[in-house]
Amino acid sequence: EAQVTQNPRYLITVTGKKLTVTCSQNMNHEYMSWYRQDPGLGLRQIYYSMNVEVTDKGDVPEGYKVSRKEKRNFPLILESPSPNQTSLYFCASSLYRGDQPQHFGDGTRLSIL
Amino acid sequence: AQSVTQPDIHITVSEGASLELRCNYSYGATPYLFWYVQSPGQGLQLLLKYFSGDTLVQGIKGFEAEFKRSQSSFNLRKPSVHWSDAAEYFCAVGPNDMRFGAGTRLTVKP
């Protein structure tokens, strides 16, 4: 089954403790992206990747890092999380940039205290 | 830059009544347009999409949307709302680096 898998689904942590949210897709997609969803703001893109070792900033990249060492994986790294990064995060993928619609993961709810 | 505006933050309709959710977009070229639904605590589900062709698009769960280029709009409609339609609805524009609207929360009264 074609899917985008995010882990963990829920996480409560504390300020400053590094964390990684993993994202994996099994569709051999080149394009992957991360979004955060906040009330009243909809989804905003954090980072995207057009292929292995090719990543670029989205609209709200501050405080986040990503890497794309393998085609299937696109982890989101919060080196020093802060409370304003408490949000619902979605990973998405598509065959290439501009291919639509994207496939979305089920989301990861992060709470940073 | 591309953007999406959903003017209504919250809409309440009675079960069985008709529904229209508004979406206005800004995009420099021919847009790809989408409506997603998110039930409480759930992920995003694609309701329908418009890429080209017929401007009236049919989706899942009895929803439809109409693309009006002259008005830069892509409003979502349903003739008769069911209680299970209560959710948050997002309009989005693409194709590259999608932009989402802020969402419209739909409440359905019995």
PDB file of all heavy atoms in Angstrom, chain A residues 31 35 37 40-43 45 48 59 88 90 97-98 100-102 104 106, chain B residues 32 34 36 38 42-44 46 49 51 90 95-102:
ATOM      1  N   TYR A  31      10.030  14.075  -4.651  1.00  0.00           N
ATOM      2  CA  TYR A  31       9.707  15.307  -3.927  1.00  0.00           C
ATOM      3  C   TYR A  31       9.090  14.979  -2.577  1.00  0.00           C
ATOM      4  O   TYR A  31       8.142  14.189  -2.494  1.00  0.00           O
ATOM      5  CB  TYR A  31       8.734  16.144  -4.757  1.00  0.00           C
ATOM      6  CG  TYR A  31       8.392  17.494  -4.158  1.00  0.00           C
ATOM      7  CD1 TYR A  31       9.234  18.584  -4.313  1.00  0.00           C
ATOM      8  CD2 TYR A  31       7.198  17.678  -3.455  1.00  0.00           C
ATOM      9  CE1 TYR A  31       8.917  19.819  -3.788  1.00  0.00           C
ATOM     10  CE2 TYR A  31       6.881  18.916  -2.920  1.00  0.00           C
ATOM     11  CZ  TYR A  31       7.743  19.986  -3.089  1.00  0.00           C
ATOM     12  OH  TYR A  31       7.429  21.214  -2.560  1.00  0.00           O
ATOM     13  N   TYR A  35       5.267  20.315   6.469  1.00  0.00           N
ATOM     14  CA  TYR A  35       4.376  21.428   6.779  1.00  0.00           C
ATOM     15  C   TYR A  35       4.104  21.439   8.281  1.00  0.00           C
ATOM     16  O   TYR A  35       4.134  20.410   8.938  1.00  0.00           O
ATOM     17  CB  TYR A  35       3.019  21.271   6.084  1.00  0.00           C
ATOM     18  CG  TYR A  35       3.070  21.241   4.578  1.00  0.00           C
ATOM     19  CD1 TYR A  35       3.294  20.056   3.889  1.00  0.00           C
ATOM     20  CD2 TYR A  35       2.855  22.402   3.835  1.00  0.00           C
ATOM     21  CE1 TYR A  35       3.325  20.029   2.507  1.00  0.00           C
ATOM     22  CE2 TYR A  35       2.875  22.384   2.452  1.00  0.00           C
ATOM     23  CZ  TYR A  35       3.110  21.186   1.798  1.00  0.00           C
ATOM     24  OH  TYR A  35       3.131  21.166   0.429  1.00  0.00           O
ATOM     25  N   GLN A  37       0.955  22.863  10.867  1.00  0.00           N
ATOM     26  CA  GLN A  37      -0.418  23.366  10.871  1.00  0.00           C
ATOM     27  C   GLN A  37      -0.714  24.013  12.216  1.00  0.00           C
ATOM     28  O   GLN A  37      -0.560  23.382  13.268  1.00  0.00           O
ATOM     29  CB  GLN A  37      -1.426  22.234  10.636  1.00  0.00           C
ATOM     30  CG  GLN A  37      -2.862  22.727  10.617  1.00  0.00           C
ATOM     31  CD  GLN A  37      -3.854  21.602  10.526  1.00  0.00           C
ATOM     32  OE1 GLN A  37      -3.497  20.446  10.312  1.00  0.00           O
ATOM     33  NE2 GLN A  37      -5.121  21.935  10.667  1.00  0.00           N
ATOM     34  N   GLY A  40      -5.848  28.854  12.666  1.00  0.00           N
ATOM     35  CA  GLY A  40      -5.969  30.164  12.029  1.00  0.00           C
ATOM     36  C   GLY A  40      -4.928  30.455  10.970  1.00  0.00           C
ATOM     37  O   GLY A  40      -4.996  31.501  10.318  1.00  0.00           O
ATOM     38  N   LEU A  41      -3.987  29.543  10.779  1.00  0.00           N
ATOM     39  CA  LEU A  41      -2.914  29.776   9.795  1.00  0.00           C
ATOM     40  C   LEU A  41      -2.875  28.717   8.715  1.00  0.00           C
ATOM     41  O   LEU A  41      -2.127  28.848   7.743  1.00  0.00           O
ATOM     42  CB  LEU A  41      -1.557  29.827  10.502  1.00  0.00           C
ATOM     43  CG  LEU A  41      -1.371  30.976  11.496  1.00  0.00           C
ATOM     44  CD1 LEU A  41      -0.033  30.845  12.207  1.00  0.00           C
ATOM     45  CD2 LEU A  41      -1.471  32.328  10.795  1.00  0.00           C
ATOM     46  N   GLY A  42      -3.633  27.658   8.871  1.00  0.00           N
ATOM     47  CA  GLY A  42      -3.586  26.583   7.889  1.00  0.00           C
ATOM     48  C   GLY A  42      -2.253  25.856   7.930  1.00  0.00           C
ATOM     49  O   GLY A  42      -1.572  25.821   8.957  1.00  0.00           O
ATOM     50  N   LEU A  43      -1.885  25.282   6.815  1.00  0.00           N
ATOM     51  CA  LEU A  43      -0.607  24.575   6.705  1.00  0.00           C
ATOM     52  C   LEU A  43       0.414  25.491   6.043  1.00  0.00           C
ATOM     53  O   LEU A  43       0.120  26.139   5.040  1.00  0.00           O
ATOM     54  CB  LEU A  43      -0.746  23.313   5.855  1.00  0.00           C
ATOM     55  CG  LEU A  43      -1.315  22.078   6.536  1.00  0.00           C
ATOM     56  CD1 LEU A  43      -2.813  22.183   6.686  1.00  0.00           C
ATOM     57  CD2 LEU A  43      -0.942  20.828   5.754  1.00  0.00           C
ATOM     58  N   GLN A  45       4.536  25.585   4.681  1.00  0.00           N
ATOM     59  CA  GLN A  45       5.648  24.713   4.332  1.00  0.00           C
ATOM     60  C   GLN A  45       6.913  25.110   5.086  1.00  0.00           C
ATOM     61  O   GLN A  45       7.280  26.282   5.130  1.00  0.00           O
ATOM     62  CB  GLN A  45       5.894  24.754   2.821  1.00  0.00           C
ATOM     63  CG  GLN A  45       6.848  23.699   2.337  1.00  0.00           C
ATOM     64  CD  GLN A  45       7.026  23.734   0.833  1.00  0.00           C
ATOM     65  OE1 GLN A  45       7.351  24.770   0.258  1.00  0.00           O
ATOM     66  NE2 GLN A  45       6.801  22.606   0.179  1.00  0.00           N
ATOM     67  N   TYR A  48      11.418  21.652   1.876  1.00  0.00           N
ATOM     68  CA  TYR A  48      11.098  20.655   0.886  1.00  0.00           C
ATOM     69  C   TYR A  48      12.388  20.101   0.293  1.00  0.00           C
ATOM     70  O   TYR A  48      13.465  20.695   0.437  1.00  0.00           O
ATOM     71  CB  TYR A  48      10.169  21.202  -0.199  1.00  0.00           C
ATOM     72  CG  TYR A  48      10.732  22.316  -1.049  1.00  0.00           C
ATOM     73  CD1 TYR A  48      11.403  22.043  -2.244  1.00  0.00           C
ATOM     74  CD2 TYR A  48      10.576  23.646  -0.672  1.00  0.00           C
ATOM     75  CE1 TYR A  48      11.903  23.057  -3.036  1.00  0.00           C
ATOM     76  CE2 TYR A  48      11.074  24.669  -1.453  1.00  0.00           C
ATOM     77  CZ  TYR A  48      11.732  24.375  -2.633  1.00  0.00           C
ATOM     78  OH  TYR A  48      12.234  25.392  -3.413  1.00  0.00           O
ATOM     79  N   ASP A  59       8.378  28.346   3.675  1.00  0.00           N
ATOM     80  CA  ASP A  59       7.979  29.651   4.198  1.00  0.00           C
ATOM     81  C   ASP A  59       8.367  29.880   5.655  1.00  0.00           C
ATOM     82  O   ASP A  59       8.551  31.021   6.068  1.00  0.00           O
ATOM     83  CB  ASP A  59       6.458  29.803   4.073  1.00  0.00           C
ATOM     84  CG  ASP A  59       6.021  29.844   2.621  1.00  0.00           C
ATOM     85  OD1 ASP A  59       6.771  30.406   1.802  1.00  0.00           O
ATOM     86  OD2 ASP A  59       4.943  29.317   2.309  1.00  0.00           O
ATOM     87  N   LEU A  88       1.088  20.848  14.838  1.00  0.00           N
ATOM     88  CA  LEU A  88       0.805  19.592  14.152  1.00  0.00           C
ATOM     89  C   LEU A  88       1.616  19.606  12.856  1.00  0.00           C
ATOM     90  O   LEU A  88       1.499  20.546  12.067  1.00  0.00           O
ATOM     91  CB  LEU A  88      -0.690  19.486  13.862  1.00  0.00           C
ATOM     92  CG  LEU A  88      -1.178  18.261  13.091  1.00  0.00           C
ATOM     93  CD1 LEU A  88      -0.825  16.978  13.835  1.00  0.00           C
ATOM     94  CD2 LEU A  88      -2.694  18.351  12.870  1.00  0.00           C
ATOM     95  N   PHE A  90       2.967  17.793   9.260  1.00  0.00           N
ATOM     96  CA  PHE A  90       2.647  16.844   8.195  1.00  0.00           C
ATOM     97  C   PHE A  90       3.821  16.722   7.239  1.00  0.00           C
ATOM     98  O   PHE A  90       4.402  17.725   6.830  1.00  0.00           O
ATOM     99  CB  PHE A  90       1.419  17.290   7.403  1.00  0.00           C
ATOM    100  CG  PHE A  90       0.131  17.128   8.138  1.00  0.00           C
ATOM    101  CD1 PHE A  90      -0.471  18.215   8.749  1.00  0.00           C
ATOM    102  CD2 PHE A  90      -0.489  15.893   8.213  1.00  0.00           C
ATOM    103  CE1 PHE A  90      -1.664  18.077   9.426  1.00  0.00           C
ATOM    104  CE2 PHE A  90      -1.679  15.742   8.891  1.00  0.00           C
ATOM    105  CZ  PHE A  90      -2.269  16.842   9.505  1.00  0.00           C
ATOM    106  N   ARG A  97       8.400  17.591  -8.058  1.00  0.00           N
ATOM    107  CA  ARG A  97       7.849  18.879  -7.660  1.00  0.00           C
ATOM    108  C   ARG A  97       6.817  19.316  -8.702  1.00  0.00           C
ATOM    109  O   ARG A  97       7.106  19.352  -9.888  1.00  0.00           O
ATOM    110  CB  ARG A  97       8.945  19.924  -7.574  1.00  0.00           C
ATOM    111  CG  ARG A  97       8.470  21.245  -6.990  1.00  0.00           C
ATOM    112  CD  ARG A  97       9.561  22.266  -7.048  1.00  0.00           C
ATOM    113  NE  ARG A  97       9.206  23.498  -6.346  1.00  0.00           N
ATOM    114  CZ  ARG A  97       9.795  24.662  -6.545  1.00  0.00           C
ATOM    115  NH1 ARG A  97      10.780  24.768  -7.424  1.00  0.00           N
ATOM    116  NH2 ARG A  97       9.420  25.718  -5.868  1.00  0.00           N
ATOM    117  N   GLY A  98       5.636  19.635  -8.227  1.00  0.00           N
ATOM    118  CA  GLY A  98       4.569  20.030  -9.137  1.00  0.00           C
ATOM    119  C   GLY A  98       3.622  18.896  -9.467  1.00  0.00           C
ATOM    120  O   GLY A  98       2.533  19.121  -9.987  1.00  0.00           O
ATOM    121  N   GLN A 100       0.833  16.437  -8.673  1.00  0.00           N
ATOM    122  CA  GLN A 100      -0.242  16.589  -7.696  1.00  0.00           C
ATOM    123  C   GLN A 100      -1.259  15.472  -7.889  1.00  0.00           C
ATOM    124  O   GLN A 100      -1.436  14.994  -9.014  1.00  0.00           O
ATOM    125  CB  GLN A 100      -0.925  17.948  -7.868  1.00  0.00           C
ATOM    126  CG  GLN A 100      -0.036  19.128  -7.548  1.00  0.00           C
ATOM    127  CD  GLN A 100       0.193  19.312  -6.064  1.00  0.00           C
ATOM    128  OE1 GLN A 100      -0.349  18.564  -5.243  1.00  0.00           O
ATOM    129  NE2 GLN A 100       0.993  20.293  -5.702  1.00  0.00           N
ATOM    130  N   PRO A 101      -2.019  15.129  -6.849  1.00  0.00           N
ATOM    131  CA  PRO A 101      -1.881  15.695  -5.527  1.00  0.00           C
ATOM    132  C   PRO A 101      -0.756  15.014  -4.753  1.00  0.00           C
ATOM    133  O   PRO A 101      -0.338  13.908  -5.080  1.00  0.00           O
ATOM    134  CB  PRO A 101      -3.229  15.395  -4.875  1.00  0.00           C
ATOM    135  CG  PRO A 101      -3.676  14.129  -5.537  1.00  0.00           C
ATOM    136  CD  PRO A 101      -3.150  14.201  -6.952  1.00  0.00           C
ATOM    137  N   GLN A 102      -0.314  15.704  -3.724  1.00  0.00           N
ATOM    138  CA  GLN A 102       0.683  15.105  -2.858  1.00  0.00           C
ATOM    139  C   GLN A 102       0.038  14.060  -1.952  1.00  0.00           C
ATOM    140  O   GLN A 102      -1.153  14.118  -1.660  1.00  0.00           O
ATOM    141  CB  GLN A 102       1.323  16.188  -1.982  1.00  0.00           C
ATOM    142  CG  GLN A 102       2.134  17.211  -2.765  1.00  0.00           C
ATOM    143  CD  GLN A 102       2.758  18.240  -1.843  1.00  0.00           C
ATOM    144  OE1 GLN A 102       3.526  17.901  -0.961  1.00  0.00           O
ATOM    145  NE2 GLN A 102       2.423  19.489  -2.057  1.00  0.00           N
ATOM    146  N   PHE A 104      -0.085  12.730   1.785  1.00  0.00           N
ATOM    147  CA  PHE A 104       0.220  13.239   3.119  1.00  0.00           C
ATOM    148  C   PHE A 104       0.309  12.107   4.131  1.00  0.00           C
ATOM    149  O   PHE A 104      -0.433  11.125   4.054  1.00  0.00           O
ATOM    150  CB  PHE A 104      -0.861  14.218   3.580  1.00  0.00           C
ATOM    151  CG  PHE A 104      -0.720  15.585   2.972  1.00  0.00           C
ATOM    152  CD1 PHE A 104      -1.295  15.870   1.748  1.00  0.00           C
ATOM    153  CD2 PHE A 104      -0.004  16.577   3.617  1.00  0.00           C
ATOM    154  CE1 PHE A 104      -1.161  17.132   1.179  1.00  0.00           C
ATOM    155  CE2 PHE A 104       0.137  17.841   3.058  1.00  0.00           C
ATOM    156  CZ  PHE A 104      -0.441  18.116   1.837  1.00  0.00           C
ATOM    157  N   ASP A 106      -0.026  10.973   8.260  1.00  0.00           N
ATOM    158  CA  ASP A 106      -1.136  11.149   9.194  1.00  0.00           C
ATOM    159  C   ASP A 106      -0.903  12.256  10.201  1.00  0.00           C
ATOM    160  O   ASP A 106      -1.796  12.570  10.986  1.00  0.00           O
ATOM    161  CB  ASP A 106      -1.405   9.839   9.935  1.00  0.00           C
ATOM    162  CG  ASP A 106      -2.030   8.790   9.046  1.00  0.00           C
ATOM    163  OD1 ASP A 106      -2.677   9.170   8.050  1.00  0.00           O
ATOM    164  OD2 ASP A 106      -1.852   7.587   9.332  1.00  0.00           O
TER     165      ASP A 106
ATOM    166  N   TYR B  32      -3.401  24.923  -9.961  1.00  0.00           N
ATOM    167  CA  TYR B  32      -4.003  23.658  -9.553  1.00  0.00           C
ATOM    168  C   TYR B  32      -4.690  23.984  -8.225  1.00  0.00           C
ATOM    169  O   TYR B  32      -4.080  24.593  -7.345  1.00  0.00           O
ATOM    170  CB  TYR B  32      -2.953  22.579  -9.311  1.00  0.00           C
ATOM    171  CG  TYR B  32      -2.297  22.001 -10.536  1.00  0.00           C
ATOM    172  CD1 TYR B  32      -2.435  22.576 -11.803  1.00  0.00           C
ATOM    173  CD2 TYR B  32      -1.507  20.864 -10.429  1.00  0.00           C
ATOM    174  CE1 TYR B  32      -1.801  22.030 -12.906  1.00  0.00           C
ATOM    175  CE2 TYR B  32      -0.881  20.307 -11.535  1.00  0.00           C
ATOM    176  CZ  TYR B  32      -1.025  20.892 -12.770  1.00  0.00           C
ATOM    177  OH  TYR B  32      -0.396  20.348 -13.863  1.00  0.00           O
ATOM    178  N   PHE B  34      -7.270  22.716  -4.885  1.00  0.00           N
ATOM    179  CA  PHE B  34      -7.612  21.542  -4.095  1.00  0.00           C
ATOM    180  C   PHE B  34      -8.508  21.955  -2.928  1.00  0.00           C
ATOM    181  O   PHE B  34      -8.416  23.057  -2.414  1.00  0.00           O
ATOM    182  CB  PHE B  34      -6.357  20.901  -3.495  1.00  0.00           C
ATOM    183  CG  PHE B  34      -5.268  20.624  -4.481  1.00  0.00           C
ATOM    184  CD1 PHE B  34      -4.365  21.614  -4.843  1.00  0.00           C
ATOM    185  CD2 PHE B  34      -5.145  19.372  -5.052  1.00  0.00           C
ATOM    186  CE1 PHE B  34      -3.364  21.360  -5.752  1.00  0.00           C
ATOM    187  CE2 PHE B  34      -4.141  19.104  -5.965  1.00  0.00           C
ATOM    188  CZ  PHE B  34      -3.251  20.101  -6.315  1.00  0.00           C
ATOM    189  N   TYR B  36      -9.274  20.072   0.811  1.00  0.00           N
ATOM    190  CA  TYR B  36      -9.006  18.983   1.739  1.00  0.00           C
ATOM    191  C   TYR B  36      -9.957  19.120   2.935  1.00  0.00           C
ATOM    192  O   TYR B  36     -10.355  20.218   3.312  1.00  0.00           O
ATOM    193  CB  TYR B  36      -7.575  19.056   2.277  1.00  0.00           C
ATOM    194  CG  TYR B  36      -6.504  18.672   1.293  1.00  0.00           C
ATOM    195  CD1 TYR B  36      -5.969  19.604   0.403  1.00  0.00           C
ATOM    196  CD2 TYR B  36      -6.002  17.371   1.264  1.00  0.00           C
ATOM    197  CE1 TYR B  36      -4.977  19.253  -0.483  1.00  0.00           C
ATOM    198  CE2 TYR B  36      -5.002  17.007   0.378  1.00  0.00           C
ATOM    199  CZ  TYR B  36      -4.500  17.950  -0.490  1.00  0.00           C
ATOM    200  OH  TYR B  36      -3.504  17.597  -1.369  1.00  0.00           O
ATOM    201  N   GLN B  38     -10.383  17.851   7.078  1.00  0.00           N
ATOM    202  CA  GLN B  38      -9.686  17.289   8.235  1.00  0.00           C
ATOM    203  C   GLN B  38     -10.691  17.134   9.369  1.00  0.00           C
ATOM    204  O   GLN B  38     -11.148  18.125   9.934  1.00  0.00           O
ATOM    205  CB  GLN B  38      -8.538  18.209   8.652  1.00  0.00           C
ATOM    206  CG  GLN B  38      -7.689  17.655   9.781  1.00  0.00           C
ATOM    207  CD  GLN B  38      -6.566  18.602  10.172  1.00  0.00           C
ATOM    208  OE1 GLN B  38      -6.747  19.808  10.217  1.00  0.00           O
ATOM    209  NE2 GLN B  38      -5.388  18.058  10.427  1.00  0.00           N
ATOM    210  N   GLN B  42      -7.659  14.004  13.029  1.00  0.00           N
ATOM    211  CA  GLN B  42      -7.295  13.182  11.863  1.00  0.00           C
ATOM    212  C   GLN B  42      -6.350  13.925  10.930  1.00  0.00           C
ATOM    213  O   GLN B  42      -6.069  15.114  11.108  1.00  0.00           O
ATOM    214  CB  GLN B  42      -8.574  12.799  11.089  1.00  0.00           C
ATOM    215  CG  GLN B  42      -9.589  12.037  11.908  1.00  0.00           C
ATOM    216  CD  GLN B  42      -9.044  10.707  12.375  1.00  0.00           C
ATOM    217  OE1 GLN B  42      -8.520   9.916  11.608  1.00  0.00           O
ATOM    218  NE2 GLN B  42      -9.160  10.443  13.673  1.00  0.00           N
ATOM    219  N   GLY B  43      -5.889  13.219   9.924  1.00  0.00           N
ATOM    220  CA  GLY B  43      -5.049  13.831   8.911  1.00  0.00           C
ATOM    221  C   GLY B  43      -5.878  14.491   7.832  1.00  0.00           C
ATOM    222  O   GLY B  43      -7.084  14.722   8.000  1.00  0.00           O
ATOM    223  N   LEU B  44      -5.247  14.779   6.726  1.00  0.00           N
ATOM    224  CA  LEU B  44      -5.910  15.468   5.620  1.00  0.00           C
ATOM    225  C   LEU B  44      -6.437  14.458   4.607  1.00  0.00           C
ATOM    226  O   LEU B  44      -5.730  13.528   4.237  1.00  0.00           O
ATOM    227  CB  LEU B  44      -4.919  16.383   4.912  1.00  0.00           C
ATOM    228  CG  LEU B  44      -4.378  17.542   5.735  1.00  0.00           C
ATOM    229  CD1 LEU B  44      -3.181  18.157   5.031  1.00  0.00           C
ATOM    230  CD2 LEU B  44      -5.438  18.597   5.955  1.00  0.00           C
ATOM    231  N   LEU B  46      -8.121  14.361   0.757  1.00  0.00           N
ATOM    232  CA  LEU B  46      -8.397  15.128  -0.443  1.00  0.00           C
ATOM    233  C   LEU B  46      -9.847  14.928  -0.854  1.00  0.00           C
ATOM    234  O   LEU B  46     -10.284  13.793  -1.068  1.00  0.00           O
ATOM    235  CB  LEU B  46      -7.464  14.688  -1.569  1.00  0.00           C
ATOM    236  CG  LEU B  46      -7.629  15.386  -2.907  1.00  0.00           C
ATOM    237  CD1 LEU B  46      -7.229  16.859  -2.798  1.00  0.00           C
ATOM    238  CD2 LEU B  46      -6.788  14.692  -3.983  1.00  0.00           C
ATOM    239  N   LYS B  49     -10.037  17.984  -6.715  1.00  0.00           N
ATOM    240  CA  LYS B  49      -8.949  18.785  -7.268  1.00  0.00           C
ATOM    241  C   LYS B  49      -9.343  19.296  -8.644  1.00  0.00           C
ATOM    242  O   LYS B  49     -10.159  18.679  -9.332  1.00  0.00           O
ATOM    243  CB  LYS B  49      -7.673  17.947  -7.381  1.00  0.00           C
ATOM    244  CG  LYS B  49      -7.804  16.724  -8.265  1.00  0.00           C
ATOM    245  CD  LYS B  49      -6.553  15.882  -8.187  1.00  0.00           C
ATOM    246  CE  LYS B  49      -6.629  14.698  -9.148  1.00  0.00           C
ATOM    247  NZ  LYS B  49      -7.592  13.671  -8.707  1.00  0.00           N
ATOM    248  N   PHE B  51      -7.361  20.663 -12.154  1.00  0.00           N
ATOM    249  CA  PHE B  51      -6.124  20.944 -12.873  1.00  0.00           C
ATOM    250  C   PHE B  51      -6.427  21.704 -14.154  1.00  0.00           C
ATOM    251  O   PHE B  51      -5.738  22.659 -14.503  1.00  0.00           O
ATOM    252  CB  PHE B  51      -5.386  19.640 -13.212  1.00  0.00           C
ATOM    253  CG  PHE B  51      -4.828  18.915 -12.012  1.00  0.00           C
ATOM    254  CD1 PHE B  51      -4.309  17.639 -12.159  1.00  0.00           C
ATOM    255  CD2 PHE B  51      -4.824  19.475 -10.750  1.00  0.00           C
ATOM    256  CE1 PHE B  51      -3.790  16.956 -11.068  1.00  0.00           C
ATOM    257  CE2 PHE B  51      -4.318  18.814  -9.646  1.00  0.00           C
ATOM    258  CZ  PHE B  51      -3.792  17.531  -9.817  1.00  0.00           C
ATOM    259  N   PHE B  90      -9.904  22.852   4.103  1.00  0.00           N
ATOM    260  CA  PHE B  90      -8.811  23.677   3.627  1.00  0.00           C
ATOM    261  C   PHE B  90      -8.814  23.727   2.107  1.00  0.00           C
ATOM    262  O   PHE B  90      -8.884  22.690   1.448  1.00  0.00           O
ATOM    263  CB  PHE B  90      -7.460  23.110   4.082  1.00  0.00           C
ATOM    264  CG  PHE B  90      -7.250  23.167   5.564  1.00  0.00           C
ATOM    265  CD1 PHE B  90      -7.523  22.065   6.352  1.00  0.00           C
ATOM    266  CD2 PHE B  90      -6.768  24.314   6.164  1.00  0.00           C
ATOM    267  CE1 PHE B  90      -7.330  22.100   7.726  1.00  0.00           C
ATOM    268  CE2 PHE B  90      -6.568  24.370   7.537  1.00  0.00           C
ATOM    269  CZ  PHE B  90      -6.857  23.252   8.321  1.00  0.00           C
ATOM    270  N   PRO B  95       0.711  24.321  -8.695  1.00  0.00           N
ATOM    271  CA  PRO B  95       1.194  22.989  -8.361  1.00  0.00           C
ATOM    272  C   PRO B  95       2.447  22.949  -7.502  1.00  0.00           C
ATOM    273  O   PRO B  95       2.648  21.999  -6.767  1.00  0.00           O
ATOM    274  CB  PRO B  95       1.471  22.368  -9.731  1.00  0.00           C
ATOM    275  CG  PRO B  95       1.856  23.535 -10.582  1.00  0.00           C
ATOM    276  CD  PRO B  95       1.023  24.682 -10.095  1.00  0.00           C
ATOM    277  N   ASN B  96       3.318  23.968  -7.668  1.00  0.00           N
ATOM    278  CA  ASN B  96       4.565  23.899  -6.911  1.00  0.00           C
ATOM    279  C   ASN B  96       4.382  24.484  -5.522  1.00  0.00           C
ATOM    280  O   ASN B  96       3.719  25.505  -5.351  1.00  0.00           O
ATOM    281  CB  ASN B  96       5.660  24.665  -7.635  1.00  0.00           C
ATOM    282  CG  ASN B  96       5.992  24.047  -8.975  1.00  0.00           C
ATOM    283  OD1 ASN B  96       5.903  22.846  -9.149  1.00  0.00           O
ATOM    284  ND2 ASN B  96       6.360  24.876  -9.922  1.00  0.00           N
ATOM    285  N   ASP B  97       4.986  23.841  -4.534  1.00  0.00           N
ATOM    286  CA  ASP B  97       5.012  24.406  -3.180  1.00  0.00           C
ATOM    287  C   ASP B  97       3.657  24.949  -2.774  1.00  0.00           C
ATOM    288  O   ASP B  97       3.417  26.150  -2.712  1.00  0.00           O
ATOM    289  CB  ASP B  97       6.075  25.501  -3.095  1.00  0.00           C
ATOM    290  CG  ASP B  97       7.437  24.993  -3.540  1.00  0.00           C
ATOM    291  OD1 ASP B  97       7.736  23.811  -3.303  1.00  0.00           O
ATOM    292  OD2 ASP B  97       8.181  25.764  -4.154  1.00  0.00           O
ATOM    293  N   MET B  98       2.796  24.033  -2.496  1.00  0.00           N
ATOM    294  CA  MET B  98       1.402  24.371  -2.256  1.00  0.00           C
ATOM    295  C   MET B  98       1.234  25.402  -1.157  1.00  0.00           C
ATOM    296  O   MET B  98       1.951  25.410  -0.166  1.00  0.00           O
ATOM    297  CB  MET B  98       0.619  23.114  -1.887  1.00  0.00           C
ATOM    298  CG  MET B  98       0.373  22.201  -3.066  1.00  0.00           C
ATOM    299  SD  MET B  98      -0.344  20.660  -2.553  1.00  0.00           S
ATOM    300  CE  MET B  98      -1.955  21.215  -2.004  1.00  0.00           C
ATOM    301  N   ARG B  99       0.215  26.238  -1.327  1.00  0.00           N
ATOM    302  CA  ARG B  99      -0.195  27.200  -0.312  1.00  0.00           C
ATOM    303  C   ARG B  99      -1.597  26.840   0.112  1.00  0.00           C
ATOM    304  O   ARG B  99      -2.461  26.595  -0.728  1.00  0.00           O
ATOM    305  CB  ARG B  99      -0.186  28.629  -0.862  1.00  0.00           C
ATOM    306  CG  ARG B  99       1.199  29.150  -1.215  1.00  0.00           C
ATOM    307  CD  ARG B  99       2.070  29.324   0.007  1.00  0.00           C
ATOM    308  NE  ARG B  99       3.328  29.986  -0.307  1.00  0.00           N
ATOM    309  CZ  ARG B  99       4.394  29.365  -0.768  1.00  0.00           C
ATOM    310  NH1 ARG B  99       4.368  28.082  -0.998  1.00  0.00           N
ATOM    311  NH2 ARG B  99       5.503  30.049  -1.005  1.00  0.00           N
ATOM    312  N   PHE B 100      -1.781  26.846   1.430  1.00  0.00           N
ATOM    313  CA  PHE B 100      -3.071  26.494   1.995  1.00  0.00           C
ATOM    314  C   PHE B 100      -3.751  27.724   2.574  1.00  0.00           C
ATOM    315  O   PHE B 100      -3.094  28.628   3.097  1.00  0.00           O
ATOM    316  CB  PHE B 100      -2.893  25.466   3.117  1.00  0.00           C
ATOM    317  CG  PHE B 100      -2.545  24.096   2.639  1.00  0.00           C
ATOM    318  CD1 PHE B 100      -1.245  23.776   2.260  1.00  0.00           C
ATOM    319  CD2 PHE B 100      -3.510  23.097   2.576  1.00  0.00           C
ATOM    320  CE1 PHE B 100      -0.915  22.515   1.825  1.00  0.00           C
ATOM    321  CE2 PHE B 100      -3.193  21.824   2.145  1.00  0.00           C
ATOM    322  CZ  PHE B 100      -1.893  21.531   1.771  1.00  0.00           C
ATOM    323  N   GLY B 101      -5.073  27.698   2.534  1.00  0.00           N
ATOM    324  CA  GLY B 101      -5.810  28.707   3.256  1.00  0.00           C
ATOM    325  C   GLY B 101      -5.803  28.400   4.751  1.00  0.00           C
ATOM    326  O   GLY B 101      -5.339  27.340   5.178  1.00  0.00           O
ATOM    327  N   ALA B 102      -6.339  29.323   5.523  1.00  0.00           N
ATOM    328  CA  ALA B 102      -6.325  29.185   6.984  1.00  0.00           C
ATOM    329  C   ALA B 102      -7.358  28.181   7.475  1.00  0.00           C
ATOM    330  O   ALA B 102      -7.325  27.777   8.636  1.00  0.00           O
ATOM    331  CB  ALA B 102      -6.552  30.537   7.644  1.00  0.00           C
TER     332      ALA B 102
END
